[in-house]
Amino acid sequence: MESKSLHRRNYSRRNFLAAATALPLVPPAKAAPETRVALARCQSYGPHLVPLLGKMFDQIGGLKKLVAGKTVAIKVNLTGAATVRLWYEPAETTYWTHPDVIGAAIYWFGRAGARRIRILESFAEGTKPLEEEMLVAGWEPADLLNAAPRVEMENTGFLGHGKRYHRLMVPNGGYIYPGFDLNHSYEECDVFVSIAKLKEHVTAGITGALKNLFGIAPCTIYGMAAGKDEPAAVPHGGRMMFHTGYRQPSRSAPQENDFTSPREEGYRVPRIVADLAAARPIHLSIVEGVETMTTGEGPWVAAGRSRKIHYVRPGVMIVGADPVATDAVAAAVMGFDPMAERGTPPFETCDSTLALAERHGLGTRDLARIEVVGEPIRNLVFPFRNYT
Amino acid sequence: MWVKLARLKETTVRSDLVPMRWPETWQDGSKFDLLRGTPINCLVGDRPPELPLGELRFVRLDPASPPEGIVLVEGVWPHVKMARRDPNAAETGPTGAPWVDSNGWRIRLAQALNPDKTVWLTYMPPKQDEIVAPAAFALAVAEAEAYGAHWVITLEENFRRGLDEGTAEAVEAWRKIVAVLKLGASSADWRRFEPVAPLAVVSSFAGEAEFLSQEFLNLADRRGLAYAIVPSSRALEARLERYKAVIYIEPQPPEGPLRAKLLDFAASGGLLILPEPPAKATAVETSFGHRIYRHGKGRIAAPVEAWADPYLLAGDVHLLIGHRHDPMRVWNGGMMNTLYLASPDGSQGVVHIVNYSLRSTLDAVTLGFPRTYQSATVLTAESATPVQPVKRRLGIEFPLPPFSTYARIELRG
């Protein structure tokens, strides 16, 4: 019956197979609601970020309802190592979330009545506290810890302060993983915030609020030296299994849905990012592009790339409740079409993280359905691909 | 006559000798032209060359009977270990940083154990079936000079043949060796400077403590944890109050006057890290694999499980002290080791950086200090470049110009 129907529409078996592989594994969710993203010009870091972010939070509906009396968990982006710089530029002006942005956001969460605020990030090696890595980078962690009452930090690359890992499932079953075992901080929070850097990404197209969640997976379970049956005690090595699928997570955690799915980075990484963002929904996204770098997610991507890395100053700040919409505006600011699919910049060699997240029902990437408040996108377009 | 001269001079040993293992195949006196105008003033080997030595000295190398004023350390050929799967990629250790075979800690340990002697490294170049770039010899010389020692320069066959034939690569490498030796010999004030370090490592560095204590020094170097070496035999005279923390690496806790001195250090506000907790003490917290006990104004830390893995110990100790007390930070120095020394009054400093990559620094190296220096000069085998400090959140930074092999940064307060 199905075959007959296909023939009536002039489908050959070959066409059908081609179309089937292009379809998402998971049925599309119903249309996402209209959403609002605040966009602002911001030429430098400093104390002026406090009023700027305050205004932007107001533009998307204010923080009080969202955070008052709640535990707020903030995933920041401290990828790589503090000792690695792009030339003489510090990590925070090229590939890390800048501490002034984190501090300003924390200040407003405190003002809006957050009960507790946790700054979260993980590292591929060891159990060092976040504060230590910040000191190595030349930051003063006390500036962040004192930006509001009851601020804490936790390295979520291992069990940390928790007694067990917490399982967060992907509501519709997931593209690659049905769920993830994560540090307690990702479940023991009422509000989850992703503060990301505006960057390109070699295997996910762009780095934004969504891709930032790659780092919530503990390397004790998803790293190169993850335990075979149980999580390792200490992380040793990055999440190569996410990239290449060369092995499975510790058996104690959910295993892949389909062991025969492609082992290709450009297929896996965007899907895993979408799975993570579905398992641990983001309530507030902040993408800062005051200063950043082109070509990839960190200085280490230089090797073998046809494009050089450039330190650049797009001078933008983007805030939204919908992470897909926030990243879509970020992509547009970077000079990309958020509706682009694989084969089109910035997704030349990978599937669109935005499209996959959209199909998970996490938001919309369609600029026509996004109300951009503050500066219009056209005023702040900073084409990353002009830098070759 | 020349044989007699050589024999006479064999007995005249000075600690300012700069040694070279003279190739036995070089029996042509014109080869000495290579040494003219260089700091090399001493030939070593099993027997003196049958050539008139002139001002050159000859020393027979016998580990069982080292020359007067010299301590011989075998050491290892310094290099970045390359990955087996990809000879163009660096092997990384558990720290994630490239794995480097280095001698800095060995030199410093030998100096601490033999304070009145000059350290000579006696290791040989890799076997002839391994390809060794002539530039690697300049690295071997530079590493020893950076730490105030000398490598007994030993030319392997390819390099020797290159010099015989005058190939550009060999001549350039020799020029660089000489330049590094001259740089090492210049402005030697810094040799009296003291390490700027938050940690003192107290140990016999021998017997049951040998592996853990020595490997701790090696791994602390690689993770940028600055330390001073205090042999147990001289610990009673050491000024421990200069340090934030002291670790005592022995299987058993200290006894007698040394125990009293170390406990005084903790009582005065320091962090004392011991192999076992103090008797009848109650831990107030557990941090980084150690239980913490209050002691006077300070703390004592003792391991939850007995120390066994020097990698974990170095990491735990660095976190117990905290990066806040790092006297210097190095960015983009993954394939480098550093040594930071300062004059007794703190007005001058010097940082030695050895670059094991055998390449000019591609990613700019930056040094950061939580204090003020007004200016700095970056000295390399090729140039002297003044650099100005840039103010940052936690102090100042000096962006360094590109360099290969070795740089000495002289800091002025």
Side-chain angles (χ1 to χ4, degrees):
Chain A
M1 183 66 184
E2 186 177 290
S3 167
K4 200 174 172 180
S5 161
L6 287 171
H7 279 297
R8 271 207 300 273
R9 291 154 68 179
N10 295 323
Y11 267 92
S12 66
R13 178 174 168 73
R14 180 177 296 173
N15 285 342
F16 170 72
L17 289 173
T21 54
L23 287 170
L25 293 173
V26 183
K30 59 183 179 181
E34 295 286 333
T35 188
R36 188 182 283 179
V37 172
L39 179 60
R41 188 185 302 275
C42 181
Q43 300 287 16
S44 62
Y45 298 105
H48 58 277
L49 282 169
V50 175
L52 178 81
L53 272 182
K55 181 180 174 187
M56 295 178 81
F57 290 145
D58 286 344
Q59 286 172 327
I60 61 163
L63 287 179
K64 199 152 194 169
K65 266 190 205 167
L66 184 66
V67 306
K70 310 269 183 69
T71 295
V72 178
I74 306 170
K75 169 66 174 67
V76 297
N77 189 344
L78 310 182
T79 186
T83 51
V84 175
R85 284 184 171 181
L86 178 64
W87 309 305
Y88 300 117
E89 284 299 326
E92 64 267 22
T93 57
T94 47
Y95 67 102
W96 278 17
T97 317
H98 197 283
D100 290 356
V101 179
I102 302 169
I106 289 171
Y107 169 80
W108 284 113
F109 297 150
R111 283 285 298 263
R115 183 165 54 88
R116 173 184 290 178
I117 299 165
R118 284 202 182 112
I119 307 168
L120 310 175
E121 178 57 300
S122 65
F123 305 113
E125 295 290 341
T127 58
K128 65 192 157 193
L130 262 62
E131 291 93 327
E132 290 297 318
E133 188 72 352
M134 291 176 180
L135 284 166
V136 174
W139 297 13
E140 175 49 80
D143 290 348
L144 302 179
L145 293 168
N146 296 327
R150 295 171 299 280
V151 180
E152 307 164 358
M153 299 193 194
E154 185 158 352
N155 176 352
T156 58
F158 66 113
L159 205 50
H161 300 313
K163 290 188 166 55
R164 62 177 177 84
Y165 290 97
H166 289 240
R167 182 158 300 170
L168 277 71
M169 301 303 290
V170 183
N172 57 13
Y175 295 115
I176 304 288
Y177 294 104
F180 300 89
D181 282 0
L182 305 175
N183 174 282
H184 72 102
S185 295
Y186 295 109
E187 188 173 55
E188 292 173 355
C189 65
D190 306 303
V191 178
F192 185 52
V193 182
S194 174
I195 307 186
K197 194 78 164 178
L198 185 79
K199 294 181 288 187
E200 294 172 84
H201 195 281
V202 170
T203 50
I206 62 166
T207 306
L210 292 165
K211 176 60 185 63
N212 187 26
L213 266 58
F214 209 67
I216 71 173
C219 285
T220 48
I221 298 173
Y222 302 97
M224 292 173 77
K228 191 175 174 188
D229 295 317
E230 297 290 329
V234 176
H236 280 317
R239 302 171 188 86
M240 281 310 292
M241 76 174 75
F242 278 4
H243 287 263
T244 64
Y246 79 103
R247 60 161 289 185
Q248 292 296 310
S250 307
R251 284 205 184 102
S252 55
Q255 306 292 291
E256 285 187 35
N257 288 326
D258 177 7
F259 296 163
T260 65
S261 65
R263 304 285 100 176
E264 182 234 335
E265 286 184 290
Y267 177 90
R268 290 176 61 82
V269 170
R271 281 171 174 76
I272 292 169
V273 168
D275 285 349
L276 284 162
R280 174 55 274 177
I282 300 167
H283 298 101
L284 179 65
S285 299
I286 302 171
V287 180
E288 68 105 336
V290 180
E291 297 174 42
T292 184
M293 56 173 276
T294 68
T295 310
E297 63 273 22
W300 53 87
V301 304
R305 310 294 300 171
S306 56
R307 290 170 60 214
K308 287 180 186 167
I309 296 177
H310 297 266
Y311 157 72
V312 290
R313 305 183 68 168
V316 297
M317 189 71 67
I318 309 161
V319 175
D322 171 343
V324 185
T326 309
D327 279 3
V329 171
V333 167
M334 296 167 83
F336 302 121
D337 175 8
M339 301 300 281
E341 295 289 349
R342 187 173 187 135
T344 310
F347 307 114
E348 289 97 330
T349 58
C350 62
D351 292 317
S352 164
T353 312
L354 299 178
L356 290 158
E358 187 179 60
R359 285 169 203 154
H360 262 341
L362 302 179
T364 180
R365 60 179 170 143
D366 184 355
L367 292 178
R369 298 170 63 197
I370 302 168
E371 182 190 359
V372 177
V373 291
E375 285 281 337
I377 291 174
R378 66 176 176 279
N379 288 0
L380 294 180
V381 171
F382 187 92
F384 274 51
R385 293 297 170 89
N386 282 0
Y387 293 84
T388 55
Chain B
M1 180 62 185
W2 53 265
V3 174
K4 193 176 175 184
L5 266 176
R7 280 181 184 156
L8 279 173
K9 288 175 178 172
E10 188 180 342
T11 58
T12 312
V13 178
R14 298 196 323 232
S15 62
D16 59 351
L17 298 178
V18 180
M20 176 178 179
R21 203 176 260 122
W22 191 251
E24 288 192 358
T25 54
W26 279 4
Q27 293 295 341
D28 174 357
S30 67
K31 294 294 181 197
F32 284 150
D33 290 348
L34 207 58
L35 307 184
R36 189 168 295 143
T38 77
I40 298 168
N41 57 10
C42 173
L43 305 185
V44 303
D46 294 331
R47 58 192 172 87
E50 296 181 350
L51 295 167
L53 295 181
E55 293 300 312
L56 291 167
R57 303 291 187 270
F58 177 79
V59 165
R60 180 171 289 119
L61 272 191
D62 178 2
S65 176
E68 188 186 339
I70 307 290
V71 58
L72 302 178
V73 175
E74 183 173 357
V76 295
W77 180 251
H79 73 294
V80 178
K81 282 194 173 175
M82 303 315 278
R84 284 181 193 155
R85 67 186 185 285
D86 180 358
N88 294 315
E91 189 75 83
T92 56
T95 58
W99 199 263
V100 174
D101 276 349
S102 61
N103 295 296
W105 67 273
R106 293 176 218 272
I107 296 169
R108 292 184 61 201
L109 178 57
Q111 289 167 335
L113 295 170
N114 305 275
D116 301 323
K117 294 185 177 179
T118 301
V119 176
W120 284 7
L121 294 170
T122 61
Y123 61 83
M124 304 291 281
K127 293 171 191 162
Q128 287 181 12
D129 56 355
E130 294 178 38
I131 297 170
V132 183
F137 291 82
L139 168 63
V141 172
E143 187 199 47
E145 296 298 316
Y147 289 88
H150 297 301
W151 175 50
V152 179
I153 297 167
T154 307
L155 309 181
E156 52 78 70
E157 191 180 336
N158 289 331
F159 192 4
R160 209 160 55 230
R161 198 182 312 122
L163 287 173
D164 284 340
E165 295 168 1
T167 65
E169 187 182 26
V171 170
E172 170 59 18
W174 181 257
R175 186 201 63 76
K176 198 160 186 179
I177 286 172
V178 173
V180 169
L181 284 171
K182 286 181 175 175
L183 179 60
S186 68
S187 181
D189 286 352
W190 61 265
R191 290 179 197 275
R192 295 194 303 275
F193 290 4
E194 296 282 342
V196 184
L199 175 69
V201 183
V202 180
S203 174
S204 64
F205 301 98
E208 285 185 67
E210 181 177 329
F211 169 74
L212 191 66
S213 61
Q214 295 196 13
E215 198 57 16
F216 178 88
L217 300 182
N218 182 17
L219 292 167
D221 261 356
R222 291 300 298 136
R223 63 178 302 116
L225 169 57
Y227 56 80
I229 298 172
V230 181
S232 303
S233 58
R234 277 199 294 279
L236 288 178
E237 297 88 57
R239 288 167 49 214
L240 298 180
E241 65 275 12
R242 292 191 295 177
Y243 308 105
K244 301 281 183 194
V246 172
I247 183 170
Y248 180 76
I249 307 182
E250 292 289 345
Q252 304 299 325
E255 294 178 341
L258 178 56
R259 179 176 182 275
K261 183 179 174 93
L262 294 179
L263 290 176
D264 280 351
F265 167 78
S268 304
L271 168 64
L272 175 62
I273 307 168
L274 294 174
E276 287 182 10
K280 298 178 185 170
T282 305
V284 292
E285 62 176 301
T286 300
S287 298
F288 310 116
H290 289 72
R291 292 201 176 92
I292 310 297
Y293 306 83
R294 291 271 172 228
H295 187 79
K297 293 180 186 170
R299 298 174 296 158
I300 295 174
V304 175
E305 293 178 20
W307 296 330
D309 182 338
Y311 163 69
L312 290 178
L313 179 59
D316 287 345
V317 169
H318 205 168
L319 290 172
L320 283 169
I321 298 170
H323 287 281
R324 187 176 293 284
H325 300 301
D326 287 347
M328 177 182 72
R329 296 196 178 87
V330 184
W331 287 277
N332 291 338
M335 292 201 192
M336 298 167 202
N337 278 0
T338 57
L339 177 62
Y340 175 26
L341 308 167
S343 59
D345 66 358
S347 64
Q348 296 176 74
V350 65
V351 179
H352 299 275
I353 307 183
V354 181
N355 177 5
Y356 291 86
S357 71
L358 291 181
R359 292 193 303 251
S360 180
T361 51
L362 297 174
D363 301 310
V365 177
T366 307
L367 296 185
F369 300 90
R371 55 155 291 176
T372 300
Y373 282 111
Q374 300 301 327
S375 64
T377 303
V378 181
L379 297 149
T380 68
E382 291 81 21
S383 61
T385 311
V387 286
Q388 294 302 312
V390 178
K391 196 157 172 48
R392 295 285 193 191
R393 283 171 186 262
L394 294 184
I396 57 162
E397 294 180 10
F398 286 103
L400 306 186
F403 66 93
S404 61
T405 311
Y406 170 60
R408 185 171 82 215
I409 295 87
E410 294 183 348
L411 304 151
R412 286 169 293 279

